[in-house]
Amino acid sequence: MMYLPGEIISVFNRWMIKTKRQPLAIFFSLVQPIIWFFLFTEAFAAIGQIPNFEQITGTDNYKTFFTAAIVIQTVMASALQSGIGMVDDMESGYLDKMKVAPISRSSILIGKVLSDAVRIMIQTFIILLLAVSVGVSIVTSVPGAIMILIIAAAFGIAWSGLSTFVALTTKNSETTLTIGLITTFPLLFLSTAVMPKALLPSWVQSFSEINPISYVADATRSLIINGWDWAVLGEGFLVILIVGVITLSATTLMFRRSISG
């Protein structure tokens, strides 16, 4: 019988191999954010010329401002794959095999979550490369880009808990996908990810203050535009921690129920 670290590594490797065998899934998960990045920033480039936009955001380039939104959209789309992958495991009988396997239940979940984090970091890295190639500059340079990858991985783990919980509850990939899409876009547009808070309608401003996406977007954007604002970064990581505690606790409870049922 393996010890917990070995079990986690085995589960992690299994998910990474599974991801490697599905290059199209990774490709298509990036297509939508990339299309949004080009279409949205080209169609709404004039937003950068709004009076006081630069004073509010620190840049007159909407493409630079929007990069944080694309990073978050990529993370949320990738986190959604986590739940769908869990449904695939239930349908293929993999989880049934785990019921009788001499392996810790927690290692199954931890290994999967860590593989999600690595996948999300790779996808976010590709998005950042794309943004830089079209003229977006990251004021905090390489260290800031690394911090953005860490934020993306941490938020991805926390958000994947939501999709995995839905997957374990519904045991249906279509429902998991639908709920994921329903939560992704409204939360994105009702946050400060797409538009500065000062330019949002008053009711959206109020909602954005309780929307976790706002804090993650502000933390990511600060590294791109403003520099090392530790207060903003601290708020971002605190919100990620709160979201993670809630979603991963619910997922762990549901997972144990599913694996022992």
Side-chain angles (χ1 to χ4, degrees), residues 95-206:
L95 284 188
D96 291 333
K97 295 177 182 176
M98 290 298 99
K99 292 179 181 178
V100 295
I103 183 172
S104 167
R105 304 301 186 247
S106 58
S107 64
I108 300 172
L109 208 53
I110 294 173
K112 183 181 186 310
V113 165
L114 291 178
S115 72
D116 290 338
V118 171
R119 187 184 70 248
I120 288 169
M121 291 179 77
I122 292 172
Q123 291 174 310
T124 302
F125 179 70
I126 293 172
I127 291 297
L128 289 179
L129 280 182
L130 177 68
V132 170
S133 71
V134 296
V136 173
S137 61
I138 301 175
V139 71
T140 51
S141 192
V142 174
I146 294 173
M147 181 60 80
I148 291 174
L149 295 181
I150 294 172
I151 292 173
F155 181 55
I157 289 174
W159 206 253
S160 67
L162 177 63
S163 68
T164 304
F165 174 77
V166 173
L168 290 168
T169 304
T170 65
K171 299 179 175 59
N172 183 285
S173 56
E174 287 80 8
T175 304
T176 303
L177 179 63
T178 301
I179 294 177
L181 293 175
I182 287 175
T183 55
T184 296
F185 290 104
L187 287 178
L188 195 64
F189 281 97
L190 294 175
S191 74
T192 57
V194 178
M195 192 67 72
K197 183 179 179 182
L199 300 181
L200 293 170
S202 59
W203 72 271
V204 180
Q205 288 186 26
S206 300

Side-chain angles (χ1 to χ4, degrees), residues 214-231:
S214 294
Y215 296 92
V216 183
D218 291 345
T220 303
R221 187 179 299 114
S222 71
L223 292 165
I224 297 172
I225 299 175
N226 308 118
W228 295 94
D229 189 331
W230 293 107

Side-chain angles (χ1 to χ4, degrees), residues 62-80:
Y62 186 63
K63 197 172 290 181
T64 299
F65 178 85
F66 195 69
T67 298
I70 289 301
V71 167
I72 292 173
Q73 187 192 356
T74 303
V75 171
M76 295 175 80
S78 187
L80 182 59

